[in-house]
C-alpha cells in the first residue's frame, strides 16, 4: 500500500501505534518494536478520530533514527478503524519528506512577492499620477487666483480714480 503508489513513494517512514502508545509496526528498522513512548498531542488527537499533520523537528527519542537523515519531516497521524465499525483500533503515523513542500513554499513566496511588488508598483504609479494631477490643479488654481488678484487690484485702482472724479465732479457741481 505504501510503496505501490505515488504518495507512498514520498513516505519516508510508517509506524502503527496502539491506542495506548505502544509501537506495533515500523518501517524504520532502528526503532524498537513493542516499546511504549510518551504519547504526543498528534497521537492523542488521532485516537479521538482526527487526522493531524505537522512539521516535526525530529528531536525526540522516538525519532532519533530519522533525525540522523532529515532535519524535519511532515508528520501525519491518521486513526485506523475496525472494519464496519466506528471503533479506532490503532493510529498510523506517516513521515513524509518536506523537500517538495519546501520547494513549493519557495515558489509561492516568490510569486507572492512578485504580486506584492507589482501591486506596490501599480499603487505608486497611480498615487504619483494622482499627486501630479493634484499638483497641476493647484498650480492652475494659483495662476487663476493670481490673475483674479491682479484684476481685482486693477478694478480697485479704477474704482479709486472714479471716486476721485465723482468727488471732483460733485465739488464742481456744488461750485456751479
Amino acid at each position: 500500500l505504501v510503496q505501490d503508489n505515488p504518495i507512498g513513494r514520498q513516505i519516508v517512514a510508517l509506524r502503527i501505534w496502539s491506542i495506548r502508545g505502544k509501537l506495533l509496526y515500523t518501517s524504520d528498522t532502528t526503532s524498537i518494536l513493542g516499546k511504549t513512548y510518551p504519547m504526543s498531542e498528534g497521537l492523542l488527537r488521532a485516537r479521538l478520530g482526527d487526522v493531524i499533520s505537522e512539521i516535526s523537528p525530529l528531536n525526540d527519542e522516538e525519532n532519533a533514527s530519522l533525525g540522523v537523515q532529515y532535519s524535519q519531516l511532515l508528520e501525519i497521524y491518521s486513526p485506523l478503524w475496525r472494519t464496519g465499525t466506528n471503533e479506532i483500533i490503532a493510529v498510523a503515523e506517516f513521515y513524509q519528506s518536506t523537500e517538495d513542500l519546501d520547494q513549493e513554499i519557495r515558489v509561492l513566496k516568490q510569486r507572492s512577492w512578485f504580486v506584492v511588488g507589482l501591486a506596490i508598483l501599480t499603487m505608486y504609479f497611480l498615487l504619483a499620477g494622482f499627486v501630479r494631477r493634484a499638483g497641476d490643479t493647484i498650480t492652475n488654481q494659483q495662476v487663476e487666483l493670481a490673475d483674479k488678484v491682479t484684476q481685482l487690484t486693477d478694478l480697485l485702482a479704477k474704482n479709486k480714480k472714479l471716486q476721485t472724479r465723482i468727488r471732483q465732479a460733485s465739488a464742481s457741481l456744488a461750485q456751479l
Side-chain angles (χ1 to χ4, degrees), residues 140-175:
N140 291 339
Q141 288 176 344
Q142 285 175 335
V143 169
E144 287 177 21
L145 185 60
D147 288 344
K148 299 247 187 229
V149 167
T150 303
Q151 288 175 3
L152 186 58
T153 303
D154 290 345
L155 286 174
L156 284 173
K158 286 180 183 178
N159 194 12
K160 280 187 180 183
K161 285 181 185 177
L162 287 174
Q163 282 180 349
T164 303
R165 285 180 62 193
I166 289 174
R167 278 191 214 123
Q168 288 173 352
S170 290
S172 294
L173 184 62
Q175 229 175 13

Side-chain angles (χ1 to χ4, degrees), residues 16-80:
I16 306 293
W17 296 89
S18 74
I19 58 173
R20 290 186 169 73
K22 184 176 181 180
L23 186 59
L24 301 176
Y25 170 82
T26 181
S27 62
D28 180 12
T29 57
T30 59
S31 296
I32 302 170
L33 283 175
K35 185 173 180 182
T36 301
Y37 292 95
M39 295 183 72
S40 66
E41 181 182 348
L43 186 57
L44 289 170
R45 289 183 55 196
R47 282 183 5 175
L48 300 174
D50 294 334
V51 175
I52 307 299
S53 63
E54 60 186 17
I55 302 283
S56 175
L58 305 173
N59 55 6
D60 52 1
E61 178 190 347
E62 73 178 82
N63 295 321
S65 61
L66 293 173
V68 172
Q69 294 177 325
Y70 304 97
S71 61
Q72 65 181 12
L73 290 172
L74 178 62
E75 188 174 14
I76 304 166
Y77 291 96
S78 177
L80 301 175

Side-chain angles (χ1 to χ4, degrees), residues 65-137:
S65 61
L66 293 173
V68 172
Q69 294 177 325
Y70 304 97
S71 61
Q72 65 181 12
L73 290 172
L74 178 62
E75 188 174 14
I76 304 166
Y77 291 96
S78 177
L80 301 175
W81 285 274
R82 185 179 305 278
T83 305
T85 69
N86 288 334
E87 179 186 1
I88 296 173
I89 57 172
V91 174
E93 179 183 21
F94 301 91
Y95 289 94
Q96 185 175 347
S97 173
T98 59
E99 289 174 9
D100 293 340
L101 183 61
D102 291 339
Q103 177 63 26
E104 192 168 331
I105 288 171
R106 276 192 295 278
V107 168
L108 291 174
K109 279 183 181 179
Q110 288 172 347
R111 286 182 188 167
S112 65
W113 277 113
F114 175 75
V115 168
V116 167
L118 189 61
I120 288 172
L121 193 61
T122 302
M123 288 187 325
Y124 171 77
F125 283 120
L126 289 173
L127 188 58
F130 173 74
V131 168
R132 183 175 179 191
R133 283 182 32 211
D136 290 345
T137 300

